[in-house]
Amino acid sequence: QVQLVESGAGLVQAGGSLRLSCAASGRTFSVAAMGWFRQAPGKEREFVARIKWIGGTTSYADSVKGRFTISRDSAKNTVYLQMNSLKPEDTAVYYCAASRTYRSTWVAYDMDYWGKGTLVTVSS
């Protein structure tokens, strides 16, 4: 099994920045990709960003492209999400996720491991 623990929850003003971290432990050698989903109140969980563990190929949702950057530290089994130019619409619980497979699309249904989530609130 793989355990994922997020950190970096916070309250920031619109236009500000925040960095989230997700540390993986356990059988991490089985992970092909890691990334982030988010869920705002009353909305469905949506894809945010992902990174392929070998090679570092990244993908982003259109809503965050150009503002968010995902990265990884293989030695620490940790993935980061740097969030800049934050908007009130970014307010959500952010969930770290990992998959044992790598596909052209990344949907919540295909995730093998989930973190418990960390709250990001952006004020106007």
Side-chain angles (χ1 to χ4, degrees):
Q1 285 290 339
V2 174
Q3 294 78 46
L4 305 175
V5 179
E6 304 101 330
S7 62
L11 171 63
V12 298
Q13 292 183 326
S17 299
L18 193 67
R19 190 179 78 157
L20 304 181
S21 299
C22 177
S25 61
R27 303 174 71 84
T28 56
F29 54 83
S30 66
V31 173
M34 290 182 63
W36 300 86
F37 289 79
R38 68 185 182 186
Q39 188 163 23
K43 297 185 178 180
E44 296 183 351
R45 190 168 299 188
E46 65 175 350
F47 166 73
V48 176
R50 71 169 175 177
I51 186 166
K52 189 177 182 181
W53 206 248
I54 299 177
T57 301
T58 59
S59 298
Y60 298 92
D62 289 340
S63 60
V64 306
K65 193 173 298 181
R67 299 188 297 120
F68 291 11
T69 302
I70 189 170
S71 62
R72 76 196 195 289
D73 186 332
S74 298
K76 296 181 178 180
N77 291 318
T78 300
V79 65
Y80 305 95
L81 185 67
Q82 178 66 46
M83 304 182 292
N84 298 326
S85 301
L86 283 164
K87 305 174 181 179
E89 306 90 87
D90 296 317
T91 295
V93 175
Y94 284 70
Y95 295 91
C96 182
S99 63
R100 291 185 281 108
T101 58
Y102 188 82
R103 301 175 181 177
S104 59
T105 59
W106 222 47
V107 297
Y109 180 83
D110 292 326
M111 298 301 100
D112 296 296
Y113 310 105
W114 288 97
K116 293 182 178 180
T118 186
L119 178 63
V120 173
T121 302
V122 184
S123 62
S124 60

